Amino acid sequence: MQPWPEPPSRESRVLPGRGRLPRVWDTSTQAKIEVGSLIGGSVAGASMYVCGITPYDATHLGHAATYVGFDLLNRAWRDAGLEVSYVQNVTDVDDPLLERAIATGEPWEQLATREISLFHEDMTALRVLPPARYIGVVESIPIIAALVARLREAGVAYDVDGDLYFSVQSAPDFGVVSHDHHATMLALFAERGGDPDRPGKKDPLDCLLWRAERPGEPAWDTEVGRGRPGWHVECTAIALDSLAAPIDVQGGGSDLVFPHHEMCAAQGSIVTGGPFARTYVHSGMVAFDGAKMSKSRGNLVFVSALRSSGVDPMAIRLALLAHHYRSDWEYTEADLVAAGARLDAWRDATSLANAPSADRLLATVRERLEDDLDSPGALAAIDAWAAMGAAVAHDAVGDADPTAPGLVFAIADSLLGIAL
Ligand code: 5CA
Ligand code: ZN
């Protein structure tokens, strides 16, 4: 599948110097860890797999916050001079998508195609850097089936009435990502697409690897039979097919810690014989009207709806960046109002003829982002520079620097993805 296009950037907007390797919070070790590798001072690179959308409804602000969050990491790595291998999947066949298609009477392929293209428009408008590889489940059926076959050969898969299940008891380090208690795991598994009560399973937490064909459902002929993949194994297979294990960052929203990323980690370590990922990084949940924004609940604010009502996409992006990527927060219109005012203030300051020097600003913004992608801190630093500019404009004195607006354009563009 083709990803969305790279946001345009101008040659004059290249930042001087380089950032350092960022440190991000790893859910598994509960510590801030430096991610990406510089070997002997020369660049190696960084690899990242971020779980993509299930395309049955438009991009809401929660999705956007997650992808903008990981975009900061991508940008920090690039600023440090790293080659970034970024992979994202699309869950273009799964239960929720098929259920929605049945409910509305629309062919599931058509629903997926439409929502994927809307997602691409939203990501483009928000200036999110595209992944190098963008891979759907439908186009990955053979590699997913091959991974299911490997798990079966490894003795960690078993049959329940023709379907294949992954045995969590046979995964030595099951629990390494979430460290959740068994009762919590059971509750989350039931809540997030699992089937703890299905008769015939060895452990209630065992997850579906392969679903044999059911009447009226899409199915493909593969080495593990005719059917379609379960959810978790799709990401394990797509990630391992595209990136060398251990991948530097396995990412997504915190609703994916358990069971999704736990299952990926368990399956990945069984087939590779080592850790699936070096770090597991999770963004916080965006809420609206008192609850997590979710397609199943319907309390959504769509990026596309905001755009078509005339909101500047850069104000949407700034509204998201005003919250640290790991925090849970509730969206209100005040977020957009504040972001619009901030955007105006930054634009005013960068259009001043006698803007103040921004040399220290670059170091500060880099330092904030290197520290677990502290975007609120980075935004505050630019606010302070813009406020200084407003004061200077007022007094018509101070250390004006004609190169400052260009540098601030470049800082906002390269590091924060904000086009001023
Ligand atoms: N296709 C799977 C991942 S393989 C999936 O979770 N799709 S999704 O469409 O439900 O979510 C896409 C991404 O947005 C995931 O990383 C998810 O964790 C994140 N996400 C979903 N809801 C929110 C929310 N309210 N706030 C922040 N991030 C969210
Ligand atoms: Zn995933």
Side-chain angles (χ1 to χ4, degrees):
M1 218 179 264
Q2 280 301 311
W4 59 95
E6 189 94 10
S9 71
R10 292 182 220 141
E11 219 170 313
S12 62
R13 295 187 174 195
V14 171
L15 283 178
R18 273 194 180 167
R20 288 183 298 254
L21 282 182
R23 283 174 299 128
V24 290
W25 184 262
D26 172 34
T27 304
S28 171
T29 55
Q30 292 284 294
K32 270 187 211 171
I33 293 183
E34 194 175 81
V35 278
S37 33
L38 294 170
I39 296 171
S42 69
V43 172
S47 60
M48 171 159 78
Y49 182 93
V50 177
C51 284
I53 55 161
T54 305
Y56 68 93
D57 219 337
T59 322
H60 59 61
L61 283 177
H63 301 137
T66 287
Y67 298 115
V68 165
F70 287 97
D71 190 52
L72 290 177
L73 180 55
N74 194 355
R75 287 170 184 276
W77 273 333
R78 288 188 182 200
D79 184 51
L82 271 70
E83 289 287 332
V84 182
S85 306
Y86 178 18
V87 178
Q88 189 178 124
N89 70 307
V90 189
T91 309
D92 56 359
V93 61
D94 199 14
D95 296 349
L97 173 80
L98 299 174
E99 283 159 16
R100 174 64 62 88
I102 288 168
T104 59
E106 187 178 17
W108 62 273
E109 300 95 325
Q110 187 180 308
L111 171 61
T113 304
R114 193 184 58 247
E115 295 304 343
I116 290 167
S117 59
L118 192 53
F119 174 66
H120 288 192
E121 283 169 29
D122 291 333
M123 291 296 104
T124 306
L126 294 175
R127 297 177 64 85
V128 174
L129 300 173
R133 295 198 67 195
Y134 186 65
I135 307 170
V137 171
V138 171
E139 64 186 342
S140 307
I141 297 288
I143 63 146
I144 302 169
L147 192 92
V148 172
R150 279 174 71 187
L151 290 168
R152 195 168 56 179
E153 281 152 27
V156 300
Y158 63 95
D159 183 290
V160 178
D161 303 327
D163 297 334
L164 285 173
Y165 275 81
F166 174 64
S167 163
V168 297
Q169 302 273 357
S170 38
D173 51 1
F174 189 73
V176 74
V177 179
S178 69
H179 303 287
D180 282 335
H181 293 298
H182 191 71
T184 310
M185 286 184 176
L186 269 178
L188 291 175
F189 187 71
E191 193 185 302
R192 297 173 177 167
D195 53 359
D197 302 324
R198 180 165 177 180
K201 283 171 55 169
K202 292 183 185 164
D203 185 303
L205 293 176
D206 290 350
C207 69
L208 182 72
L209 290 171
W210 194 259
R211 180 172 160 93
E213 183 174 21
R214 305 287 200 279
E217 286 190 5
W220 291 265
D221 283 315
T222 71
E223 61 186 289
V224 290
R226 187 168 168 79
R228 63 180 169 94
W231 172 29
H232 314 299
V233 73
E234 90 186 49
C235 283
T236 318
I238 294 173
L240 292 179
D241 187 58
S242 309
L243 300 167
I247 50 181
D248 286 309
V249 169
Q250 158 85 320
S254 59
D255 57 341
L256 299 184
V257 174
F258 192 90
H260 189 51
H261 289 171
E262 196 75 77
M263 296 294 178
C264 294
Q267 295 163 358
S269 70
I270 285 168
V271 294
T272 64
F276 173 69
R278 287 197 175 90
T279 58
Y280 296 86
V281 179
H282 295 101
S283 53
M285 287 293 111
V286 181
F288 184 56
D289 280 347
K292 174 198 156 188
M293 224 180 257
S294 76
K295 290 182 275 205
S296 46
R297 224 185 245 108
N299 55 333
L300 307 173
V301 179
F302 294 122
V303 173
S304 49
L306 291 176
R307 289 198 291 119
S308 52
S309 70
V311 178
D312 186 329
M314 292 299 95
I316 304 174
R317 186 164 171 124
L318 272 182
L320 303 174
L321 291 175
H323 300 271
H324 188 265
Y325 80 98
R326 280 201 290 124
S327 64
D328 296 326
W329 56 282
E330 176 155 0
Y331 169 77
T332 68
E333 262 184 49
D335 284 281
L336 266 190
V337 173
R342 174 173 260 152
L343 192 58
D344 288 344
W346 291 11
R347 285 182 173 152
D348 287 348
T350 48
S351 55
L352 289 173
N354 56 343
S357 165
D359 289 347
R360 277 206 310 274
L361 180 63
L362 174 58
T364 309
V365 171
R366 276 187 169 139
E367 186 192 292
R368 287 297 82 233
L369 293 171
E370 283 153 12
D371 181 11
D372 198 24
L373 312 172
D374 174 16
S375 59
L379 265 48
I382 302 183
D383 288 344
W385 175 83
M388 206 157 65
V392 167
H394 203 254
D395 300 348
V397 288
D399 61 340
D401 177 354
T403 66
L407 180 57
V408 177
F409 277 136
I411 293 170
D413 182 4
S414 306
L415 299 178
L416 297 169
I418 296 291
L420 288 175

